[in-house]
Amino acid sequence: MKCLLIYFTGTYNTRYVSRKLKSRLEEVGWQVNLYEIDPLNNGRLNLSEYDIIGLGYPIHGYCAPWAFLRFIRAQKFPEGMKTFIYKNSGETERANDASSKYVLRKLRWDGAVMNNEYHFLMPYNIHFRFDDNLVKEMLVMNDRLLDILVYELCHGISNRKPYGIWPRIVSSVVSRPQYIGGDVNSFFYRVDDKCTGCNLCVKNCPTKNIRRDADGKLRFGHHCLMCMRCSFYCPADAIHIGFLEQWGWKVNGGYDFRKIEAIELDHPVITPDTKGFFHCYIDTYEKINKRHKELFGD
Ligand SMILES: Cc1cc2nc3c(=O)[nH]c(=O)nc-3n(C[C@H](O)[C@H](O)[C@H](O)COP(=O)(O)O)c2cc1C
Ligand code: SF4
Ligand code: SF4
């Protein structure tokens, strides 16, 4: 099978998942190409040379990010083309289920087929930082979900559940303001005195929204995707992210996945007694384990 994985990533969690997926599909003999969306280039890809296309994105406010949706809408999916979705986010809220609603509408419009959709859990790049031990457990569970994904795709087994009315409503209500929210919020982005002038944020911003003016100061334009790449990776933690920061939602410093992968966990982090924010993981993990057992016996 010749497969193309098209994905958008802000702080590289989706890139991480996409690379894992690529190597797992290659292990079963597929030929896999990766295409990371550049929000400044919405040109059409030649999709007809592939047998199947995977679409990956981080969930932003219960929706697919605008940059992802815009790119997908600019494509022409060949009639009957097989596609699948692999999205990721920090929580399992049912409201996230319908985040692909508009993507699905576009695929249907073109006559493409989407029978498989998978939700990977990856640590937040906004709101609060996840503990490394928990992230390790998430990566282990994602490996199990990848087992399921690869098996089901290879055996033509569909895996889709209806989105439900409530997730659809939430996703629709949040998507409209969110898609202009980044542009509005970037009026309030600023850099403080801790800035060392390394220019990493200028180089890495996917929309070239950050510039250094003649007076040496960094300024933000109004083409912000709220992807968090600039503030997340600023080595001096000097970037302030507008109203999101008023709510204490900034996370600074990338997750070191290589180091996290090497952690040896001697006890489960999520247990049936887990309470609070991560309580919702219990059900998700039970479902992954149940399906894994059905397919592989463990
Ligand atoms: C603007 C914004 C909105 C987000 N909204 C959600 C959300 O609604 N639900 C959720 O579980 N995670 C949410 N997240 C967290 C990301 O989905 C998660 O950290 C993801 O793994 C980031 O992937 P990336 O590194 O490829 O950008 C949001 C992140 C950002 C930046
Ligand atoms: S990444 Fe941070 S330290 Fe580097 S130029 Fe940007 S704001 Fe300054
Ligand atoms: S300004 Fe920052 S948050 Fe906005 S698009 Fe650029 S890197 Fe992403």
Side-chain angles (χ1 to χ4, degrees), residues 15-259:
R15 181 191 280 176
Y16 176 86
V17 175
S18 302
R19 286 179 175 172
K20 285 269 166 203
L21 177 54
K22 173 177 159 67
S23 72
R24 294 298 296 276
L25 290 170
E26 283 173 345
E27 277 169 23
V28 293
W30 288 27
Q31 186 192 329
V32 184
N33 290 347
L34 293 177
Y35 184 87
E36 186 167 306
I37 293 174
D38 168 1
L40 299 177
N41 175 6
N42 289 310
R44 276 197 181 170
L45 304 176
N46 180 8
L47 302 179
S48 57
E49 60 179 277
Y50 294 95
D51 303 309
I52 185 163
I53 294 169
L55 304 171
Y57 66 86
I59 296 173
H60 278 186
Y62 309 129
C63 307
W66 177 233
F68 175 81
L69 192 56
R70 197 173 41 192
F71 184 85
I72 296 304
R73 282 181 175 164
Q75 303 306 309
K76 174 79 186 113
F77 289 83
E79 178 126 26
M81 170 63 77
K82 281 192 202 148
T83 64
F84 65 98
I85 291 174
Y86 60 101
K87 56 196 180 186
N88 75 91
S89 79
E91 87 241 343
T92 63
E93 276 280 340
R94 288 241 27 227
N96 288 315
D97 288 357
S99 57
S100 312
K101 199 174 71 152
Y102 297 119
V103 180
L104 196 56
R105 191 177 288 175
K106 158 67 180 168
L107 294 172
R108 283 205 184 118
W109 180 262
D110 283 1
V113 180
M114 199 290 283
N115 284 333
N116 292 70
E117 181 163 4
Y118 302 87
H119 186 168
F120 290 83
L121 287 172
M122 288 296 282
Y124 269 164
N125 57 0
I126 191 170
H127 202 182
F128 64 87
R129 189 175 192 80
F130 283 21
D131 173 77
D132 279 1
N133 284 342
L134 171 62
V135 179
K136 165 70 186 192
E137 189 165 273
M138 292 164 75
L139 299 185
V140 171
M141 291 309 290
N142 283 350
D143 270 342
R144 287 171 79 76
L145 185 56
L146 279 170
D147 292 338
I148 296 168
L149 180 158
V150 172
Y151 184 93
E152 290 180 341
L153 285 185
C154 288
H155 290 81
I157 302 169
S158 77
N159 186 334
R160 270 198 61 199
K161 55 177 181 181
Y163 296 150
I165 300 286
W166 176 236
R168 278 170 181 276
I169 293 171
V170 174
S171 177
S172 305
V173 170
V174 180
S175 65
R176 312 274 162 196
Q178 187 199 212
Y179 288 157
I180 54 160
D183 293 352
V184 175
N185 188 40
S186 64
F187 276 96
F188 306 103
Y189 270 50
R190 67 177 183 85
V191 171
D192 69 25
D193 295 344
K194 296 197 289 303
C195 173
T196 59
C198 72
N199 269 356
L200 191 68
C201 55
V202 179
K203 265 188 259 148
N204 280 348
C205 171
T207 58
K208 305 273 172 263
N209 191 47
I210 312 173
R211 64 176 192 275
R212 188 173 292 284
D213 280 346
D215 60 6
K217 294 210 164 121
L218 286 181
R219 296 218 162 70
F220 291 83
H222 304 297
H223 301 290
C224 178
L225 304 168
M226 278 210 279
C227 72
M228 297 299 135
R229 194 180 293 173
C230 55
S231 58
F232 193 71
Y233 287 109
C234 170
D237 192 9
I239 298 179
H240 298 270
I241 55 170
F243 64 81
L244 296 172
E245 193 151 339
Q246 312 302 312
W247 305 334
W249 278 18
K250 188 172 75 171
V251 179
N252 177 254
Y255 295 95
D256 185 342
F257 289 122
R258 201 174 283 184
K259 197 174 121 215

